[in-house]
Amino acid sequence: MADIEVEMKFSLSDVEAFRGVLLEHEAICAGPATTESDEYFAHPARDFATTGEALRVRSTALETILTYKGPRLDQLTKTRHEIEAPLVGPLAAGKSPLAICQILLALGFRSVRKVVKSRQFWTLPDEEYVLVCTIDHVPELGHFAELEIITEEHAWQPARDRLLEWAARLKLDQPENRSYLELLLDDEQRPS
């Protein structure tokens, strides 16, 4: 059975002020920001933009992860099934992303777009959940905060409620329900 990812994203106008809010709530920073490169793929027989699904290959300095995200289960948050297949080892961040992408292309998938971001991980002190907050920077879009809980299928609604509570505590409002890919594609389709 796949895990459920419960996620919310918010645009940040003042990153340093938000880091201060995280520290006030005793969040723990995992270290400096790292770079993630995500390549998204379109299915040969169905439209992921219509179904709300996503297939991506994420590469970092340490690993490559093939991820499938199912259709959204909730309108308030980005809640959906998530299946990840990490590749680790000496080649994981080297030839593996290219090899996985070549396999997907050979199977008829089409590359849609790459999304590159820097991401800093924080953990929030929650009694019940492992609650992760990331501060992301996508050069074409700006800074964002993402809150995320990974949970079991039967427990996603209480996890969503906890995420909404934390968003209010952290003074995050006006969630952005589009993915970075959707934001970039929307931006590219706007007349200049």
Side-chain angles (χ1 to χ4, degrees), residues 42-46 107-110:
H43 192 281
R46 65 180 187 251
L107 291 171
F109 286 82
R110 181 178 52 80

Side-chain angles (χ1 to χ4, degrees), residues 17-28:
F18 182 67
R19 282 191 180 103
V21 171
L22 289 173
L23 291 171
E24 287 171 15
H25 286 86
E26 299 178 359
I28 298 169

Side-chain angles (χ1 to χ4, degrees), residues 138-170:
V138 179
E140 303 95 326
L141 300 172
H143 288 90
F144 294 85
E146 284 193 1
L147 302 178
E148 177 184 284
I149 295 172
I150 302 294
T151 190
E152 297 175 357
E153 187 167 8
H154 65 87
W156 72 263
Q157 289 168 321
R160 178 211 44 210
D161 294 344
R162 183 61 57 89
L163 213 60
L164 292 167
E165 289 171 19
W166 270 102
R169 279 188 220 170
L170 297 173

Side-chain angles (χ1 to χ4, degrees), residues 19 24 31 35 47 49 62 69 78 99 124-125 130 143 149:
R19 282 191 180 103
E24 287 171 15
T35 300
D47 183 4
L62 301 176
K69 294 184 179 218
K78 288 173 33 183
L124 292 162
V130 175
H143 288 90
I149 295 172

Side-chain angles (χ1 to χ4, degrees), residues 12 14-30 120-125 131-136 144-147 166-167 169-172:
L12 292 176
D14 188 338
V15 176
E16 290 311 313
F18 182 67
R19 282 191 180 103
V21 171
L22 289 173
L23 291 171
E24 287 171 15
H25 286 86
E26 299 178 359
I28 298 169
C29 181
Q120 184 179 47
F121 287 89
W122 294 72
T123 303
L124 292 162
L131 203 153
V132 174
C133 176
T134 63
I135 298 175
D136 296 343
F144 294 85
E146 284 193 1
L147 302 178
W166 270 102
R169 279 188 220 170
L170 297 173
K171 299 179 176 61
L172 295 170

